[in-house]
Amino acid sequence: MTIESTRELELLRRTMELAEQSRARGDHPFGALLADPDGNILLEAMNTCGTRGDRTGHAERNLMTEASLKYDADFLAGCTMYTSAEPCAMCAGAVYWAGVGRVVHGMSEKALKELIGPDPENLTMDLPCRDVFAAGQRQVEVIGPLLAEESAKVHKGFWTPSPRNTSAKPVL
């Protein structure tokens, strides 16, 4: 697929739909998916910080855990992770260790940090995933930010002191 192809934008928008679903069920508003080289969706994941009580339950890390259990690294090297926002340092590490070869993301980590501010539920770091991948021993291609304004919409009002969906209960 080419950069910013119609299919790539469709897949990125799907992660935004997942982020909306994540928010609606009481989790942080992030979504991610894994696609094969032909753009077929293999796996989807959402954030689980609220519903599971796992502060490491980021959509991308959840996706990489599932992907690394289901597929070998040689296969994942040809796959792309699409995500509604740039992977944080933890999630970029998970992408690296799982073996995924490409990341396409919505809004940047820097823009997310500016939007969220010092919210204690997500003390966002201004550490681009490209920097995390550059410290590794294999290349991970990064495309983004794409559709940044569109991907930021799901975050509006979530990280402020406004009431959130508190109906979700932690899963034990």
Side-chain angles (χ1 to χ4, degrees):
M1 286 185 285
T2 61
I3 296 173
E4 297 184 49
S5 73
T6 301
R7 181 62 179 155
E8 292 213 294
L9 296 179
E10 287 172 1
L11 293 169
L12 192 54
R13 285 188 173 106
R14 174 63 186 148
T15 68
M16 294 174 210
E17 292 171 5
L18 292 167
E20 288 279 358
Q21 291 173 26
S22 183
R23 179 179 177 160
R25 72 178 191 190
D27 285 306
H28 295 174
F30 298 96
L33 66 82
L34 181 70
D36 70 13
D38 296 321
N40 299 306
I41 297 173
L42 302 172
L43 301 169
E44 295 181 333
M46 293 182 276
N47 186 287
T48 55
C49 291
T51 51
R52 299 211 48 204
D54 176 4
R55 291 180 303 280
T56 67
H58 296 189
E60 302 90 344
R61 204 241 353 122
N62 290 339
L63 182 71
M64 290 301 98
T65 296
E66 190 174 348
S68 68
L69 292 170
K70 188 166 185 171
Y71 302 107
D72 66 34
D74 288 338
F75 175 75
L76 290 173
C79 293
T80 300
M81 179 182 74
Y82 293 84
T83 181
S84 59
E86 182 174 5
C88 71
M90 174 184 68
C91 293
V95 169
Y96 179 82
W97 290 111
V100 172
R102 191 165 176 266
V103 172
V104 176
H105 68 82
M107 70 184 304
S108 71
E109 184 80 346
K110 182 178 187 76
L112 184 65
K113 182 180 178 190
E114 290 171 4
L115 179 70
I116 292 174
D119 190 303
E121 287 193 32
N122 193 355
L123 294 171
T124 303
M125 301 165 70
D126 185 4
L127 179 60
C129 67
R130 284 176 176 87
D131 292 352
V132 176
F133 297 139
Q137 298 183 56
R138 66 172 185 79
Q139 184 177 356
V140 179
E141 180 183 5
V142 179
I143 308 297
L146 298 176
L147 306 176
E149 289 181 22
E150 201 172 323
S151 66
K153 287 179 184 175
V154 69
H155 295 277
K156 301 292 183 182
F158 184 84
W159 302 105
T160 62
S162 64
R164 297 188 187 162
N165 177 356
T166 57
S167 61
K169 303 289 184 223
V171 177
L172 301 177

